Amino acid sequence: MEKGDSTTINITSESSKERKGKAPLLAAPVMAATTNTREDGGNKRGIAIFDFVLRLCAMVAALAAAILMGTTDQTLPFFTQFFRFQASYDDLPTFTFFVIANAITSSYLVLSIPFSIVSIVRPHAVGPRLLLIIFDTVMVALTTAAAASAAAIVYLAHKGNSSANWLAICQQYNDFCQSTSGAVVASFIAVVIFVFLVVLSALALRKS
Amino acid sequence: MQSTGLALLSPVTTRINSDIILLYPSHSAQALSKTLESSFLDLFLLKKMKAGALELGSASKGSTPQAGVNRGVSILDFILRIVALVGTLASAIAMGTTSETLPFFTQFIRFRAQYHDLPSFTFFVVANSVVSTYLVLSLALSILHIVRSGAQGTRVVLIFFDAGMLALLTAGASAAAAIVYLAHKGNAKANWFAICQQYNSFCERISASLIGSFAAIVVLVLLVLLSAVALSRR
């Protein structure tokens, strides 16, 4: 191998007049592109901050739903010798599913807060946003399933069903019915917030 | 002449194969160095202009591999939409046409089970019909995305409606699932009797109609994912 296989061409000094003459022609289109991305970054940062706030609200709603349903317990003041009239959430498997699903949702929301903060700090990062939108969609499905099935049972408890001979238990267990209805409402609020979160992430993912 | 050349350019050194050739501005070398300098600056200008043009997005993207992937994603989106349409339509029809009359009856009551006896099932049929209508209408938007891979605003609209329809469909399917579970198992504490023990074919029909709906839910989640990926790859 020969010693110097490289080609070095040094043009060291260029007069300042020539430099000034060439630069402005190139600066204009490049400058326009960078201001566009800077505005974009500001928009995306605003969307990310809104996303963070909504995430906190959804976490509060899901946690409230789980706690409200999980701590309802009503014992009727009368009882027979063998039977005690008691109603709690684990008497109905649907309510158990409701409590578990809302607990999963609120813990997911707690774990997704760092990703939300990352997308505030770095508005142009695609990875965290994509991850958030994927998991938010799955959580929409899970939370809606829990809320809607509990709503069906609560509706049945309020109205009963004459064709199936199912009695309306709310006429006896008043407090239980009220707490479970409140928990279902809180869960539906969390669902609506999740749908907004998905749309916000989609808006922020655009490359304009 | 020589002094002006020196003012323009300092000595250009070229080193080829361990031979050192120093070009000082002389008569012919000056012309050579000037052409070298101008050609380098031309290359530099061209590179900058190309970069600027790419940043402004004026280059056509039809032939890049990324556009091909986007098109593939849009085609997959279209196919999945048709699958979800079939699922929801089948569920709505299966639930809506169930009717079972028990062979025995008293003088005053005829034992019949239909979907509208239970309000959750009515909601299920209505939700599935609404979602299948939406899917038919969104097929047009999906075809638009195949043809024009670069559309972003319509993709966001599609994601919004897909998420909303996902919530509606999941609500209907899970409400019906809760009632179907109750019909199968009953509830001793609430004194709710399991009606499936008497209405056999009704129970089988309503249980099977849930399958198409839940499959459509999974497909809708995939659709939202696909649209998000297509948006981010732009």
Side-chain angles (χ1 to χ4, degrees), chain B residues 17-198:
Chain B
N17 289 344
S18 83
D19 291 332
I20 302 176
I21 303 173
L22 278 169
L23 297 178
Y24 273 101
S26 59
H27 279 277
S28 56
Q30 188 182 4
L32 178 62
S33 60
K34 261 195 140 164
T35 51
L36 265 177
E37 178 199 358
S38 60
S39 61
F40 282 141
L41 285 170
D42 277 342
L43 273 173
F44 182 67
L45 274 171
L46 200 60
K47 212 173 165 192
K48 271 278 190 175
M49 280 196 320
K50 235 188 190 174
L54 274 176
E55 278 177 24
L56 290 175
S58 60
S60 73
K61 286 193 159 60
S63 54
T64 55
Q66 197 165 18
V69 171
N70 267 358
R71 185 151 294 177
V73 163
S74 306
I75 291 178
L76 187 62
D77 176 289
F78 181 74
I79 294 174
L80 282 181
R81 233 167 254 282
I82 292 183
V83 169
L85 174 64
V86 167
T88 48
L89 210 54
S91 284
I93 291 175
M95 179 71 86
T97 57
T98 54
S99 172
E100 184 182 0
T101 315
L102 291 183
F104 52 89
F105 49 90
T106 72
Q107 195 178 15
F108 303 105
I109 305 179
R110 200 181 181 92
F111 294 98
R112 191 189 323 196
Q114 280 180 327
Y115 79 94
H116 57 72
D117 289 332
L118 291 138
S120 293
F121 292 163
T122 316
F123 175 53
F124 177 77
V125 171
V126 166
N128 273 280
S129 318
V130 166
V131 172
S132 53
T133 313
Y134 158 75
L135 284 171
V136 166
L137 293 176
S138 70
L139 278 177
L141 215 54
S142 185
I143 292 175
L144 176 76
H145 286 150
I146 296 178
V147 168
R148 293 171 60 93
S149 304
Q152 287 198 71
T154 47
R155 263 195 222 273
V156 172
V157 166
L158 206 59
I159 286 184
F160 170 64
F161 279 113
D162 274 347
M165 289 300 150
L166 171 69
L168 180 67
L169 189 63
T170 317
S174 48
I179 300 297
V180 165
Y181 179 81
L182 208 54
H184 274 279
K185 298 281 177 71
N187 192 294
K189 288 249 177 160
N191 223 12
W192 287 338
F193 169 67
I195 66 172
C196 270
Q197 292 171 7
Q198 290 184 337

Side-chain angles (χ1 to χ4, degrees), chain A residues 4-6 8 11-12 26 33 91-93 126 133 137 141 144-145 148-149 152 155-156 161 166-167 199 202-203 206-207, chain B residues 10 13 15 17-18 40 45 55 117-119 152 159-160 167 170-171 174 178 181-182 187 189 192-193 224 228 231-232:
Chain A
D5 244 355
S6 58
T8 349
I11 305 176
T12 47
L26 304 168
D91 291 330
L92 290 137
V126 163
I133 204 176
T137 315
T144 319
S149 51
Y155 179 83
L156 202 57
N161 192 296
W166 288 337
L167 219 71
V199 173
L203 275 177
R206 289 183 307 173
K207 284 192 176 151
Chain B
S10 63
T13 52
R15 188 183 197 149
N17 289 344
S18 83
F40 282 141
L45 274 171
E55 278 177 24
D117 289 332
L118 291 138
Q152 287 198 71
I159 286 184
F160 170 64
T170 317
S174 48
Y181 179 81
L182 208 54
N187 192 294
K189 288 249 177 160
W192 287 338
F193 169 67
V224 171
L231 261 186
S232 68

Side-chain angles (χ1 to χ4, degrees), chain A residues 38-121:
Chain A
R38 241 181 282 145
E39 265 178 29
D40 245 6
N43 273 345
K44 291 189 181 184
R45 184 161 287 171
I47 290 177
I49 292 176
F50 192 37
D51 174 289
F52 179 72
V53 169
L54 278 184
R55 217 165 270 277
L56 287 179
C57 295
M59 185 184 70
V60 166
L63 204 57
I67 290 177
L68 202 55
M69 179 72 85
T71 57
T72 53
D73 199 348
Q74 189 180 6
T75 314
L76 290 182
F78 53 88
F79 51 90
T80 71
Q81 197 181 11
F82 302 104
F83 208 67
R84 203 181 177 91
F85 295 98
Q86 213 170 15
S88 77
Y89 77 96
D90 52 13
D91 291 330
L92 290 137
T94 310
F95 288 166
T96 316
F97 170 57
F98 179 85
V99 171
I100 293 175
N102 275 283
I104 290 176
T105 302
S106 46
S107 34
Y108 157 75
L109 282 168
V110 166
L111 290 175
S112 73
I113 282 180
F115 288 100
S116 191
I117 292 179
V118 163
S119 53
I120 294 179
V121 168

